[in-house]
Amino acid sequence: MDSLSSTSLLRSDGSSVPAASALAGKDIILFYFSAHWCPPCRKFTPMLKDFYEEVEGVEIVFISSDRSAEDMTAYMKESHGDWLAIPHNSAVANDLKQKYGISGIPALVVVKLDGTVVTKDGKSHVTGKNPAQAVKDWKA
């Protein structure tokens, strides 16, 4: 995935991991655009966490619209699953928002490892389908 090739992704504990190794072996990447200050995001995040815990071959990468890196980290520790994040307000984060035309949050963009967009409406799949079925449909 070219847009992340030289990026390190963050964990909620503050450690980082190279994106290439973190995403190796994953079939599907979910780019999750969200922020703690956003009530619809706070409602959707626990659903996404439950979804993530039930599926395999999927990685979530969080792109924050929080007001600060501290707010982003607090949101990750408080509500998120054990997924990864792009550094707060980084060029990569801003490029991904532009690339996928993100104009509102929460947004969940589903892509294959090669970067092919499966859907920009992953949120409706997470809320409306059985997790295994959603992943199967994305891989098809």
Tab-separated table of all heavy atoms in Angstrom, residues 29-59:
chain	number	residue	atom	x	y	z
A	29	ILE	N	-7.948	-3.611	4.606
A	29	ILE	CA	-7.594	-2.508	5.496
A	29	ILE	C	-8.806	-1.585	5.594
A	29	ILE	O	-9.405	-1.224	4.574
A	29	ILE	CB	-6.399	-1.689	4.950
A	29	ILE	CG1	-5.232	-2.603	4.543
A	29	ILE	CG2	-5.981	-0.623	5.963
A	29	ILE	CD1	-4.658	-3.452	5.631
A	30	LEU	N	-9.166	-1.232	6.811
A	30	LEU	CA	-10.262	-0.289	7.037
A	30	LEU	C	-9.645	1.014	7.530
A	30	LEU	O	-9.016	1.044	8.586
A	30	LEU	CB	-11.236	-0.821	8.096
A	30	LEU	CG	-11.800	-2.231	7.892
A	30	LEU	CD1	-12.727	-2.593	9.042
A	30	LEU	CD2	-12.526	-2.339	6.576
A	31	PHE	N	-9.818	2.074	6.760
A	31	PHE	CA	-9.372	3.393	7.198
A	31	PHE	C	-10.537	4.030	7.944
A	31	PHE	O	-11.588	4.303	7.358
A	31	PHE	CB	-8.955	4.267	6.006
A	31	PHE	CG	-7.652	3.856	5.385
A	31	PHE	CD1	-7.602	3.395	4.081
A	31	PHE	CD2	-6.463	3.948	6.098
A	31	PHE	CE1	-6.397	3.035	3.502
A	31	PHE	CE2	-5.256	3.577	5.526
A	31	PHE	CZ	-5.224	3.122	4.217
A	32	TYR	N	-10.332	4.245	9.251
A	32	TYR	CA	-11.386	4.772	10.102
A	32	TYR	C	-11.109	6.239	10.424
A	32	TYR	O	-10.165	6.566	11.140
A	32	TYR	CB	-11.492	3.945	11.386
A	32	TYR	CG	-12.587	4.380	12.319
A	32	TYR	CD1	-13.836	4.765	11.842
A	32	TYR	CD2	-12.387	4.396	13.688
A	32	TYR	CE1	-14.845	5.168	12.697
A	32	TYR	CE2	-13.391	4.791	14.558
A	32	TYR	CZ	-14.624	5.170	14.045
A	32	TYR	OH	-15.624	5.575	14.908
A	33	PHE	N	-11.939	7.106	9.866
A	33	PHE	CA	-11.841	8.549	10.078
A	33	PHE	C	-12.835	8.921	11.171
A	33	PHE	O	-14.050	8.729	11.002
A	33	PHE	CB	-12.169	9.290	8.773
A	33	PHE	CG	-11.236	8.940	7.642
A	33	PHE	CD1	-11.472	7.841	6.829
A	33	PHE	CD2	-10.111	9.714	7.397
A	33	PHE	CE1	-10.609	7.517	5.784
A	33	PHE	CE2	-9.233	9.395	6.352
A	33	PHE	CZ	-9.488	8.294	5.550
A	34	SER	N	-12.316	9.443	12.280
A	34	SER	CA	-13.165	9.650	13.446
A	34	SER	C	-12.515	10.661	14.393
A	34	SER	O	-11.382	11.076	14.190
A	34	SER	CB	-13.352	8.296	14.157
A	34	SER	OG	-14.147	8.399	15.301
A	35	ALA	N	-13.270	11.037	15.438
A	35	ALA	CA	-12.751	11.919	16.486
A	35	ALA	C	-13.592	11.749	17.742
A	35	ALA	O	-14.791	11.488	17.669
A	35	ALA	CB	-12.790	13.381	16.040
A	36	HIS	N	-12.959	11.921	18.896
A	36	HIS	CA	-13.659	11.771	20.162
A	36	HIS	C	-14.749	12.816	20.355
A	36	HIS	O	-15.790	12.533	20.943
A	36	HIS	CB	-12.663	11.822	21.326
A	36	HIS	CG	-13.313	11.566	22.650
A	36	HIS	ND1	-13.721	12.572	23.478
A	36	HIS	CD2	-13.640	10.406	23.270
A	36	HIS	CE1	-14.286	12.044	24.554
A	36	HIS	NE2	-14.236	10.740	24.461
A	37	TRP	N	-14.546	14.034	19.858
A	37	TRP	CA	-15.518	15.113	20.066
A	37	TRP	C	-16.805	14.914	19.255
A	37	TRP	O	-17.784	15.634	19.444
A	37	TRP	CB	-14.908	16.482	19.729
A	37	TRP	CG	-14.315	16.569	18.349
A	37	TRP	CD1	-12.991	16.455	18.028
A	37	TRP	CD2	-14.998	16.765	17.115
A	37	TRP	NE1	-12.815	16.568	16.662
A	37	TRP	CE2	-14.036	16.758	16.083
A	37	TRP	CE3	-16.343	16.940	16.768
A	37	TRP	CZ2	-14.367	16.915	14.728
A	37	TRP	CZ3	-16.669	17.093	15.422
A	37	TRP	CH2	-15.688	17.088	14.425
A	38	CYS	N	-16.835	13.929	18.369
A	38	CYS	CA	-17.958	13.699	17.446
A	38	CYS	C	-18.920	12.653	18.028
A	38	CYS	O	-18.575	11.478	18.099
A	38	CYS	CB	-17.362	13.231	16.119
A	38	CYS	SG	-18.476	12.383	15.009
A	39	PRO	N	-20.138	13.065	18.452
A	39	PRO	CA	-21.076	12.089	19.038
A	39	PRO	C	-21.387	10.884	18.140
A	39	PRO	O	-21.391	9.751	18.640
A	39	PRO	CB	-22.318	12.925	19.341
A	39	PRO	CG	-21.777	14.304	19.565
A	39	PRO	CD	-20.641	14.440	18.570
A	40	PRO	N	-21.632	11.054	16.834
A	40	PRO	CA	-21.864	9.858	16.016
A	40	PRO	C	-20.660	8.911	15.979
A	40	PRO	O	-20.825	7.695	15.888
A	40	PRO	CB	-22.159	10.418	14.619
A	40	PRO	CG	-22.624	11.817	14.851
A	40	PRO	CD	-21.859	12.284	16.064
A	41	CYS	N	-19.460	9.479	16.081
A	41	CYS	CA	-18.246	8.641	16.127
A	41	CYS	C	-18.209	7.841	17.421
A	41	CYS	O	-17.916	6.641	17.413
A	41	CYS	CB	-16.993	9.499	16.026
A	41	CYS	SG	-16.846	10.445	14.501
A	42	ARG	N	-18.515	8.497	18.528
A	42	ARG	CA	-18.488	7.807	19.825
A	42	ARG	C	-19.537	6.704	19.881
A	42	ARG	O	-19.369	5.723	20.596
A	42	ARG	CB	-18.679	8.800	20.968
A	42	ARG	CG	-17.449	9.681	21.183
A	42	ARG	CD	-17.424	10.353	22.539
A	42	ARG	NE	-18.663	10.990	22.906
A	42	ARG	CZ	-18.989	12.253	22.627
A	42	ARG	NH1	-18.145	13.020	21.962
A	42	ARG	NH2	-20.133	12.749	23.015
A	43	LYS	N	-20.613	6.857	19.105
A	43	LYS	CA	-21.644	5.810	19.038
A	43	LYS	C	-21.175	4.638	18.168
A	43	LYS	O	-21.415	3.477	18.496
A	43	LYS	CB	-22.939	6.401	18.473
A	43	LYS	CG	-24.060	5.406	18.401
A	43	LYS	CD	-25.339	6.051	17.880
A	43	LYS	CE	-26.440	5.011	17.758
A	43	LYS	NZ	-27.619	5.538	17.086
A	44	PHE	N	-20.500	4.940	17.056
A	44	PHE	CA	-20.083	3.897	16.116
A	44	PHE	C	-18.833	3.136	16.574
A	44	PHE	O	-18.711	1.934	16.329
A	44	PHE	CB	-19.842	4.512	14.725
A	44	PHE	CG	-19.339	3.527	13.710
A	44	PHE	CD1	-20.142	2.478	13.277
A	44	PHE	CD2	-18.054	3.637	13.196
A	44	PHE	CE1	-19.679	1.559	12.344
A	44	PHE	CE2	-17.569	2.722	12.268
A	44	PHE	CZ	-18.391	1.687	11.835
A	45	THR	N	-17.904	3.799	17.250
A	45	THR	CA	-16.626	3.170	17.614
A	45	THR	C	-16.801	1.862	18.395
A	45	THR	O	-16.128	0.872	18.069
A	45	THR	CB	-15.725	4.171	18.363
A	45	THR	OG1	-15.461	5.274	17.489
A	45	THR	CG2	-14.408	3.541	18.775
A	46	PRO	N	-17.694	1.779	19.403
A	46	PRO	CA	-17.851	0.483	20.092
A	46	PRO	C	-18.362	-0.628	19.160
A	46	PRO	O	-17.987	-1.788	19.311
A	46	PRO	CB	-18.877	0.779	21.191
A	46	PRO	CG	-18.838	2.260	21.372
A	46	PRO	CD	-18.470	2.838	20.044
A	47	MET	N	-19.199	-0.268	18.181
A	47	MET	CA	-19.668	-1.263	17.208
A	47	MET	C	-18.496	-1.757	16.365
A	47	MET	O	-18.380	-2.948	16.084
A	47	MET	CB	-20.729	-0.654	16.287
A	47	MET	CG	-22.020	-0.278	16.960
A	47	MET	SD	-23.119	0.434	15.710
A	47	MET	CE	-23.953	1.665	16.685
A	48	LEU	N	-17.640	-0.827	15.967
A	48	LEU	CA	-16.473	-1.191	15.164
A	48	LEU	C	-15.512	-2.054	15.978
A	48	LEU	O	-14.941	-3.020	15.463
A	48	LEU	CB	-15.773	0.071	14.654
A	48	LEU	CG	-14.601	-0.146	13.705
A	48	LEU	CD1	-15.043	-0.884	12.448
A	48	LEU	CD2	-13.964	1.187	13.338
A	49	LYS	N	-15.361	-1.744	17.249
A	49	LYS	CA	-14.497	-2.541	18.122
A	49	LYS	C	-15.011	-3.980	18.204
A	49	LYS	O	-14.234	-4.936	18.061
A	49	LYS	CB	-14.437	-1.919	19.520
A	49	LYS	CG	-13.544	-2.668	20.477
A	49	LYS	CD	-13.491	-2.002	21.839
A	49	LYS	CE	-12.614	-2.789	22.795
A	49	LYS	NZ	-12.623	-2.237	24.146
A	50	ASP	N	-16.309	-4.161	18.406
A	50	ASP	CA	-16.887	-5.507	18.463
A	50	ASP	C	-16.681	-6.237	17.134
A	50	ASP	O	-16.337	-7.422	17.108
A	50	ASP	CB	-18.382	-5.444	18.793
A	50	ASP	CG	-18.643	-5.011	20.226
A	50	ASP	OD1	-17.703	-5.021	21.062
A	50	ASP	OD2	-19.800	-4.639	20.525
A	51	PHE	N	-16.893	-5.528	16.031
A	51	PHE	CA	-16.708	-6.087	14.699
A	51	PHE	C	-15.266	-6.576	14.534
A	51	PHE	O	-15.020	-7.709	14.113
A	51	PHE	CB	-17.034	-5.000	13.666
A	51	PHE	CG	-16.841	-5.410	12.238
A	51	PHE	CD1	-17.893	-5.929	11.498
A	51	PHE	CD2	-15.603	-5.247	11.605
A	51	PHE	CE1	-17.718	-6.289	10.170
A	51	PHE	CE2	-15.425	-5.607	10.285
A	51	PHE	CZ	-16.479	-6.133	9.563
A	52	TYR	N	-14.318	-5.727	14.890
A	52	TYR	CA	-12.892	-6.021	14.737
A	52	TYR	C	-12.494	-7.268	15.522
A	52	TYR	O	-11.672	-8.061	15.065
A	52	TYR	CB	-12.091	-4.800	15.200
A	52	TYR	CG	-10.595	-4.918	15.096
A	52	TYR	CD1	-9.961	-4.897	13.861
A	52	TYR	CD2	-9.810	-5.019	16.236
A	52	TYR	CE1	-8.574	-4.971	13.763
A	52	TYR	CE2	-8.424	-5.088	16.150
A	52	TYR	CZ	-7.820	-5.068	14.912
A	52	TYR	OH	-6.449	-5.140	14.823
A	53	GLU	N	-13.073	-7.426	16.701
A	53	GLU	CA	-12.736	-8.572	17.550
A	53	GLU	C	-13.264	-9.888	16.994
A	53	GLU	O	-12.819	-10.954	17.406
A	53	GLU	CB	-13.247	-8.327	18.971
A	53	GLU	CG	-12.464	-7.220	19.669
A	53	GLU	CD	-13.061	-6.765	20.986
A	53	GLU	OE1	-14.172	-7.219	21.356
A	53	GLU	OE2	-12.414	-5.930	21.654
A	54	GLU	N	-14.207	-9.818	16.037
A	54	GLU	CA	-14.812	-11.031	15.487
A	54	GLU	C	-14.266	-11.453	14.129
A	54	GLU	O	-14.652	-12.496	13.618
A	54	GLU	CB	-16.331	-10.842	15.356
A	54	GLU	CG	-17.047	-10.762	16.681
A	54	GLU	CD	-18.559	-10.694	16.517
A	54	GLU	OE1	-19.099	-11.366	15.622
A	54	GLU	OE2	-19.195	-9.967	17.286
A	55	VAL	N	-13.393	-10.652	13.523
A	55	VAL	CA	-12.944	-10.955	12.169
A	55	VAL	C	-11.442	-11.208	12.118
A	55	VAL	O	-10.700	-10.834	13.024
A	55	VAL	CB	-13.313	-9.817	11.183
A	55	VAL	CG1	-14.828	-9.660	11.088
A	55	VAL	CG2	-12.661	-8.504	11.566
A	56	GLU	N	-11.008	-11.853	11.035
A	56	GLU	CA	-9.591	-12.128	10.813
A	56	GLU	C	-9.189	-11.589	9.449
A	56	GLU	O	-10.019	-11.460	8.558
A	56	GLU	CB	-9.334	-13.634	10.864
A	56	GLU	CG	-9.552	-14.235	12.242
A	56	GLU	CD	-9.303	-15.734	12.265
A	56	GLU	OE1	-8.850	-16.291	11.250
A	56	GLU	OE2	-9.569	-16.339	13.318
A	57	GLY	N	-7.899	-11.301	9.298
A	57	GLY	CA	-7.393	-10.832	8.014
A	57	GLY	C	-7.725	-9.380	7.722
A	57	GLY	O	-7.605	-8.919	6.595
A	58	VAL	N	-8.143	-8.656	8.768
A	58	VAL	CA	-8.558	-7.260	8.631
A	58	VAL	C	-7.746	-6.415	9.611
A	58	VAL	O	-7.548	-6.812	10.751
A	58	VAL	CB	-10.070	-7.114	8.944
A	58	VAL	CG1	-10.494	-5.658	8.985
A	58	VAL	CG2	-10.901	-7.895	7.950
A	59	GLU	N	-7.288	-5.257	9.151
A	59	GLU	CA	-6.649	-4.305	10.055
A	59	GLU	C	-7.342	-2.961	9.922
A	59	GLU	O	-7.735	-2.570	8.823
A	59	GLU	CB	-5.162	-4.152	9.755
A	59	GLU	CG	-4.422	-3.325	10.793
A	59	GLU	CD	-4.603	-3.865	12.213
A	59	GLU	OE1	-4.051	-4.932	12.523
A	59	GLU	OE2	-5.319	-3.224	13.012
